[in-house]
């Protein structure tokens, strides 16, 4: 059902509907859940996403290990060249959700908890300066779900299988397609946004310090959101990526399958294996163990 | 079949959908196999579950599932303490399972009164799971629907008797899977249903002479 994004785009264009609407119709036809159930689920997801952004922005949370927290709050007072734009809103919201996640708060895995900040970051960050009705946001979540389902089918959504390209990378692709449709772009443009975004996250490793979903995960959700914004902006400007989106997704899967196990969530390589990464992990894990005693 | 809500979801307690939410669901499935709260459970962690499980709260998530908590239940944070208070004895160990296994796999051996089960399950990412083995039988089931599990002697007519019992109550079957270790040996039957089976249906199936170990598992996703 969700096997080829290329075919789904063709079908949506032929029927004159968005990818999100197509996803809702296909799922209702499939019979696992009614349309009403899915829409209610997505509406709840939107509410939880909003709640997580709000919970994370004040900056009073610390992660279980104490390694992360309070950085989303810094971006509520941005001073760089992009202050006051959608860009900093997206970064702040993505950080906020991911800081809540690291503190064992309630979030929506979209598609995973490790990449949970990207989609709400992009959609709610854009909506903050360009408000849209909730119904449009719910439909955009359906778009993101459809894209993620194709990625799950063709590649993977697990950092342990495919590295961070399968988590924040997939989330960025989903957010880019959803963002385009939320802003009124066609399914074809949405698919190019997915391809333009995911080409930029290919090969991204999963290298969390101490195996905890904290560093670099929190920051990688923000940069994932930034790459999704780049994909959205390019696709809406009419840029077309030459490699079809399904082949980009397949490439992500292929890279993931051949990626060394050190870069797949095992904390054996990448930033986790740096001298400072090892030192911080050791200190924090010792503290965690003491706490548990 | 995958749902949009499998991707945009689950709503869950952090920090990891595979190490926390998926692990919780494997625990929930295992709980269903013994029909309620186990008295003891041995949890073996394989692959990435073994290497980074503690930092991700995998132990807490599986314990929470065994206690009947769902992935969005904030009590998951304190499940190890709650398990102790509830009289659930837990033993965790790291292992290397033989054969091909997903990196996030756990094998749980659990007991409740006279019921016991050994279940191996993998967390596939995004909170989705696949149960790969139950009591030594290879299976493929994910708990997304109410599920009937039982063992039957390899004699003709079992499937027809069970489907008749379900049909009599108007209960619709989504999938049927039967697997056996060898010809003529016992087989495990797994029926995924559109709704939970009625006590009448379960009574009829339980009364079939060739059937044993009947369990009705609630939907966990």
């Amino acid at each position: 059902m969700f096997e080829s994004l290329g075919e789904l785009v063709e079908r949506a264009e032929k029927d004159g509907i968005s990818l999100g609407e197509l996803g809702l119709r296909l799922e209702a036809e499939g019979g696992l859940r009614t349309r009403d159930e899915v829409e209610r689920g997505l509406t709840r997801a939107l509410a939880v996403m909003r709640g997580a952004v709000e919970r994370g922005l004040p900056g009073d949370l610390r992660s279980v290990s104490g390694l992360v927290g309070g950085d989303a709050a810094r971006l509520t007072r941005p001073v760089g060249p992009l202050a006051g734009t959608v860009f900093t809103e997206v970064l702040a919201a993505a950080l906020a959700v991911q800081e809540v996640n690291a503190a064992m708060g309630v979030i929506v895995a979209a598609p995973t908890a490790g990449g949970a900040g990207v989609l709400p970051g992009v959609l709610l960050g854009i909506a903050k300066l360009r408000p849209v009705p909730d119904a449009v946001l719910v439909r955009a979540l359906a778009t993101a779900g459809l894209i993620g389902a194709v990625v799950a089918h063709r590649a993977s959504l697990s950092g342990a299988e495919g590295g961070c390209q399968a988590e924040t990378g997939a989330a960025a692709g989903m957010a880019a397609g959803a963002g385009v449709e939320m802003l009124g772009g066609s399914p074809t443009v949405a698919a190019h946004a997915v391809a333009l975004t995911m080409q930029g996250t290919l090969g991204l490793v999963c290298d969390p310090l101490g195996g905890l979903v904290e560093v670099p995960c929190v920051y990688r959700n923000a940069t994932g959101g930034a790459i999704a914004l780049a994909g959205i902006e390019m696709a809406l400007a009419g840029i077309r990526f030459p490699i079809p989106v399904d082949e980009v997704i397949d490439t992500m899967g292929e890279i993931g399958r051949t990626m060394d196990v050190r870069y797949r969530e095992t904390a054996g390589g990448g930033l986790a294996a740096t001298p400072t990464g090892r030192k911080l992990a050791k200190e924090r894990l010792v503290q965690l163990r003491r706490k548990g005693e | 079949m995958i749902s949009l809500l499998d991707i945009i979801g689950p709503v869950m307690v952090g920090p990891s959908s595979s190490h926390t939410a998926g692990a919780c669901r494997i625990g929930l499935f295992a709980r269903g196999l013994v029909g309620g709260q186990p008295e003891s459970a041995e949890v073996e962690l394989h692959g990435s579950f073994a290497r980074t499980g503690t930092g991700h709260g995998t132990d807490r998530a599986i314990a929470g599932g065994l206690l009947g908590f769902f992935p969005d239940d904030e009590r998951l944070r304190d499940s190890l303490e709650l398990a102790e208070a509830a009289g659930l004895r837990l033993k965790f160990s790291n292992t290397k399972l033989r054969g091909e296994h997903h990196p996030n796999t756990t094998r749980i051996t659990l007991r409740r009164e006279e019921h016991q089960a050994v279940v191996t399950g993998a967390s596939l990412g995004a909170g989705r799971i696949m149960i790969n083995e139950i009591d030594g039988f290879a299976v493929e089931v994910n708990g997304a629907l109410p599920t009937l599990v039982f063992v039957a002697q390899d004699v003709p007519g079992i499937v027809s008797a069970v489907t008749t019992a379900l049909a009599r109550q108007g209960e619709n079957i989504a999938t049927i899977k039967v697997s056996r270790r060898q010809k003529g040996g016992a087989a495990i039957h797994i029926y995924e249903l559109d709704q939970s089976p009625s006590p009448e249906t379960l009574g009829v199936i339980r009364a079939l002479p060739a059937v044993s170990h009947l369990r009705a598992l609630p939907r966990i996703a």
Side-chain angles (χ1 to χ4, degrees):
Chain A
M1 187 163 77
F2 301 123
E3 292 171 7
S4 157
L5 193 51
E7 282 172 22
L8 292 166
V9 166
E10 247 177 62
R11 185 160 166 192
E13 292 282 4
K14 196 168 120 258
D15 296 350
I17 56 176
S18 68
L19 286 173
E21 174 61 28
L22 179 61
L24 290 168
R25 287 187 191 178
L26 286 175
E27 174 143 5
E29 280 168 24
L32 189 62
R33 289 197 172 91
T34 64
R35 183 183 176 114
D36 189 48
E37 267 181 277
V38 177
E39 282 185 324
R40 266 189 286 125
L42 294 176
T43 304
R44 180 184 177 215
L46 179 61
V48 173
M49 286 174 174
R50 278 205 178 108
V53 172
E54 274 166 36
R55 184 66 197 87
L57 282 179
D60 58 322
L61 292 175
R62 284 291 173 278
S63 66
V64 180
S65 79
L67 268 179
V68 296
D71 287 330
R74 292 192 170 85
L75 265 175
T76 58
R77 304 175 298 274
V79 295
L82 294 166
T85 67
V86 160
F87 193 86
T88 52
E89 297 293 346
V90 167
L91 298 184
L95 286 175
V97 173
Q98 208 53 33
E99 287 181 353
V100 167
N101 182 59
M104 285 191 95
V106 178
I107 51 90
V108 184
T112 64
V118 179
L119 184 61
V122 170
L123 298 187
L124 298 176
I126 292 174
K128 190 147 180 210
L129 297 184
R130 294 185 170 224
V132 292
D134 276 8
V136 173
L137 285 167
V138 167
R139 191 65 45 85
L141 290 180
T143 308
L146 174 139
I147 295 164
V150 173
V151 177
H153 178 80
R154 303 185 77 97
S156 169
L157 295 175
S158 158
E161 276 187 331
C164 199
Q165 52 164 6
E167 294 209 23
T168 61
M174 290 159 56
V180 163
E181 287 207 331
M182 167 187 163
L183 294 166
S186 71
T188 302
V189 175
H192 280 286
V194 177
L196 285 162
T197 298
M198 288 182 70
Q199 63 77 28
T201 58
L202 288 178
L204 191 59
V205 300
C206 178
D207 51 354
L209 270 55
L212 304 175
V213 191
E214 300 192 6
V215 180
C217 320
V218 168
Y219 311 99
R220 210 164 266 165
N221 272 261
T223 49
I227 296 172
L229 280 183
I232 292 169
E233 202 67 43
M234 286 193 276
L236 285 174
I239 296 175
R240 301 290 175 257
F241 194 63
I243 309 293
V245 65
D246 286 322
E247 294 180 32
V248 175
I249 295 168
D250 292 347
T251 303
M252 188 273 268
E254 166 63 21
I255 292 171
R257 280 188 293 278
T258 53
M259 190 180 274
D260 193 281
V261 69
R262 286 177 298 167
Y263 305 124
R264 288 187 278 121
E265 211 175 278
T266 56
L271 295 170
T274 57
T276 305
R278 287 192 195 283
K279 183 170 146 268
L280 285 174
K282 202 172 155 194
E283 285 167 12
R284 301 299 174 169
L285 287 175
V286 167
Q287 282 174 16
L288 274 183
R289 242 170 259 134
R290 283 210 195 103
K291 248 198 245 172
E293 274 164 20
Chain B
M1 202 187 79
I2 199 162
S3 163
L4 298 180
L5 297 181
D6 295 331
I7 305 294
I8 308 302
V11 172
M12 57 166 281
V13 169
S16 163
S17 49
S18 52
H19 286 68
T20 316
C24 173
R25 282 194 179 142
I26 297 172
L28 275 168
F29 191 96
R31 175 189 168 94
L33 283 175
V34 294
Q37 180 129 323
E39 287 131 20
S40 71
E42 270 186 65
V43 181
E44 295 167 278
L45 302 169
H46 167 88
S48 173
F49 266 9
R51 279 191 295 273
T52 68
T54 310
H56 285 120
T58 301
D59 46 357
R60 293 180 176 274
I62 292 174
L66 292 170
L67 289 170
F69 302 163
F70 277 69
D72 63 348
D73 193 322
E74 299 204 45
R75 287 176 297 175
L76 284 185
R77 263 180 257 183
D78 308 315
S79 65
L80 293 177
E81 297 75 14
L82 292 169
E84 198 179 333
L88 163 55
R89 287 193 313 283
L90 287 166
K91 194 179 146 207
F92 290 92
S93 62
N94 290 343
T95 191
K96 202 169 175 186
L97 295 172
R98 266 189 242 155
E100 281 283 299
H101 287 280
H102 188 280
N104 294 327
T105 296
T106 177
R107 178 166 59 196
I108 306 175
T109 306
L110 67 169
R111 274 190 189 77
R112 182 180 76 88
E113 296 164 8
E114 75 278 17
H115 309 284
Q116 51 178 302
V118 184
V119 56
T120 304
S123 179
L124 306 179
R128 293 177 304 125
I129 64 164
M130 185 59 75
I131 302 298
N132 301 309
E133 199 177 300
I134 298 174
D135 297 340
F137 294 97
V139 300
E140 265 192 20
V141 57
N142 63 15
L145 291 170
T147 303
L148 276 183
V149 178
F150 60 85
V151 175
Q153 294 311 308
D154 194 7
V155 295
I158 299 292
V159 171
S160 123
V162 172
T163 53
T164 304
L166 287 163
R168 203 168 288 145
Q169 300 292 330
E171 290 158 356
N172 202 41
I173 301 166
T175 71
I176 300 178
K177 287 172 195 147
V178 178
S179 88
R180 60 187 179 187
R181 296 190 192 110
Q182 68 206 48
K183 193 174 176 187
I188 197 163
H189 289 235
I190 296 180
Y191 293 62
E192 291 180 299
L193 308 174
D194 287 338
Q195 64 279 97
S196 294
S198 64
E200 291 78 13
T201 306
L202 293 176
V204 171
I205 299 171
R206 191 172 286 119
L208 295 170
V211 167
S212 63
H213 297 87
L214 174 66
R215 285 146 302 178
L217 280 63
R219 182 172 159 165
I220 56 161

